[in-house]
Amino acid sequence: MARAIVYTDFDGVLNAFPEAEPTPSDLYSYSPERAFRLDGDATVHVGNGAAYRIRWSSELTDALHELACTGAIELQWLSTWQPYTALLNERLGWNAQIIGTVQWYDPITYTGLRDGKYRAVARRVEVEADRDDPAPIVWIDDEECTRTRCDELRASAPVAPVLMVRPDSRIGISRRQWALICAFIANPRAFGDVTLDVEPTLREHEGHMGY
């Protein structure tokens, strides 16, 4: 089977929001056994005076980048940061020559912002269905990897396995979810047609967090 295609969001996935709704009962969610340590902290200026603080784990981002560098995966940004992923690559120390960015919405008119991510993944599923050696797909998003989207993708009858991962935005991809992603990349045939993994501590929130 062809190498896996990994579509990753940024906010709530690699860029975590530990200050979002913290309560004493939630502290276990941030334990080293569950969460990667957020040792990256920077401010990204996107023009027009707008700037956003980002926090990430270099252990996690380095590991994901290494998979792309070795050719184990095809890595694609699928994020509202679409116009500014070059800035993210620079901050994370990622090689922009091997990291793609899906153009899924119009950054001027915002056309496609509502369902463009899903349509991009669904289109790739259709493309892979026509290939002799279809590629498995990993889609990581803290908001859009839902049961509804999972059912819709399953109804399209993908010919290669799809893994959907929904992190808790307060910690981003957990250690458990990272292990699952690595297991899928190594042996996608061990998974079903479409698998949805939701971090148990995830909390629904109003609106989009981050950029």
Side-chain angles (χ1 to χ4, degrees):
M1 184 170 286
R3 65 175 179 167
I5 305 158
V6 177
Y7 293 108
T8 186
D9 189 15
F10 183 61
D11 292 327
V13 172
L14 298 176
N15 178 31
F17 298 92
E19 69 279 4
E21 301 181 58
T23 65
S25 62
D26 292 328
L27 293 181
Y28 78 97
S29 301
Y30 306 97
S31 68
E33 294 77 17
R34 293 178 57 86
F36 288 91
R37 184 170 70 90
L38 302 177
D39 57 348
D41 192 338
T43 299
V44 177
H45 297 269
V46 298
N48 297 321
Y52 298 88
R53 182 189 183 189
I54 62 174
R55 299 182 66 182
W56 72 95
S57 162
S58 59
E59 179 185 354
L60 175 61
T61 57
D62 287 355
L64 184 55
H65 182 241
E66 180 66 15
L67 289 175
C69 288
T70 60
I73 63 172
E74 174 190 321
L75 184 55
Q76 297 275 345
W77 285 114
L78 185 57
S79 168
T80 51
W81 282 81
Q82 171 192 301
Y84 307 109
T85 55
L87 299 177
L88 299 183
N89 290 334
E90 181 180 356
R91 286 294 185 179
L92 300 181
W94 284 9
N95 181 355
Q97 300 301 313
I98 61 172
I99 311 298
T101 298
V102 179
Q103 304 298 311
W104 61 278
Y105 76 97
D106 187 318
I108 304 301
T109 65
Y110 297 107
T111 300
L113 199 61
R114 185 179 65 84
D115 59 358
K117 285 185 180 181
Y118 171 74
R119 287 190 288 105
V121 175
R123 280 198 302 269
R124 189 59 182 261
V125 168
E126 292 177 358
V127 168
E128 295 303 318
D130 292 331
R131 293 182 173 173
D132 294 333
D133 191 17
I137 292 173
V138 181
W139 180 20
I140 316 169
D141 196 292
D142 67 308
E143 295 175 343
E144 300 208 27
C145 285
T146 63
R147 172 55 59 186
T148 297
R149 293 306 194 193
C150 177
D151 291 341
E152 290 172 347
L153 281 180
R154 184 172 290 118
S156 70
V159 297
V162 177
L163 173 64
M164 301 171 62
V165 178
R166 189 178 186 190
D168 178 337
S169 61
R170 296 170 296 177
I171 64 173
I173 297 171
S174 69
R175 290 189 179 275
R176 180 193 63 80
Q177 288 182 320
W178 178 244
L180 180 67
I181 292 167
C182 290
F184 179 88
I185 292 169
N187 186 18
R189 295 188 187 279
F191 290 73
D193 54 353
V194 182
T195 302
L196 171 64
D197 183 87
V198 179
E199 187 64 21
T201 58
L202 179 141
R203 284 189 174 186
E204 298 288 351
H205 55 80
E206 293 293 331
H208 175 72
M209 298 180 66
Y211 170 72

